[in-house]
Amino acid sequence: MIRTLSLIAALSLSVAAPALAEPTSSLTVTFEPGAQTGAVMVALYDASTYVGGQAVRGARIDVAAGHRTASFEGLEPGEYGIKAFHDVNGNGEMDTNPFGMPIEPYAFSNNAVGNMGPAGWDRARFTVEGAATQTISIR
């Protein structure tokens, strides 16, 4: 009898465990590119990776084929930031001039603008909880 009750208790805990798991969120990002060629390269960061770290997620949006959105599913709720550039010539890189200045359009979440460099975390961060959206204009 005790063994049966222990088994029932263990099974009920294992069934209840998924309900206690932290909920996941999603993010849909829509881009408004200027050119209709190439692709928009998107990098999604959290607070610990935005400056100098590796992106949490990434996406490639084929603008030449008419696509404008990227979706990120299964995100942990929290703050995120986006860095993106429009790879107009399709070479997979952000092209720069001899001084290292970008010559292809780029953008950040919240349409934030940097000062002599990328937009800072304080300007680019946004909260993802449940289903979030961002619309970003590529400059």
Side-chain angles (χ1 to χ4, degrees):
M1 177 72 166
I2 292 175
R3 189 177 218 185
T4 305
L5 289 176
S6 296
L7 180 60
I8 291 171
L11 287 175
S12 65
L13 286 177
S14 66
V15 171
L20 299 176
E22 190 167 330
T24 58
S25 298
S26 64
L27 171 64
T28 301
V29 185
T30 303
F31 287 91
E32 298 172 347
Q36 304 304 312
T37 62
V40 173
M41 309 299 276
V42 185
L44 179 67
Y45 297 89
D46 62 16
S48 67
T49 61
Y50 187 79
V51 178
Q54 182 145 0
V56 174
R57 303 270 182 92
R60 181 183 182 280
I61 303 170
D62 189 354
V63 175
H67 301 286
R68 301 289 182 268
T69 61
S71 296
F72 301 98
E73 302 292 329
L75 297 173
E76 294 297 322
E79 291 190 321
Y80 293 89
I82 294 172
K83 297 177 185 178
F85 73 94
H86 189 166
D87 182 18
V88 178
N89 60 7
N91 69 353
E93 301 176 0
M94 176 182 248
D95 296 327
T96 58
N97 68 17
F99 301 105
M101 300 295 292
I103 59 173
E104 290 186 300
Y106 58 91
F108 305 94
S109 45
N110 295 331
N111 289 309
V113 178
N115 184 15
M116 299 299 288
W121 173 251
D122 58 327
R123 292 182 179 178
R125 73 179 178 199
F126 60 96
T127 302
V128 172
E129 191 171 329
T133 61
Q134 276 277 317
T135 300
I136 300 175
S137 298
I138 301 282
R139 302 180 207 359

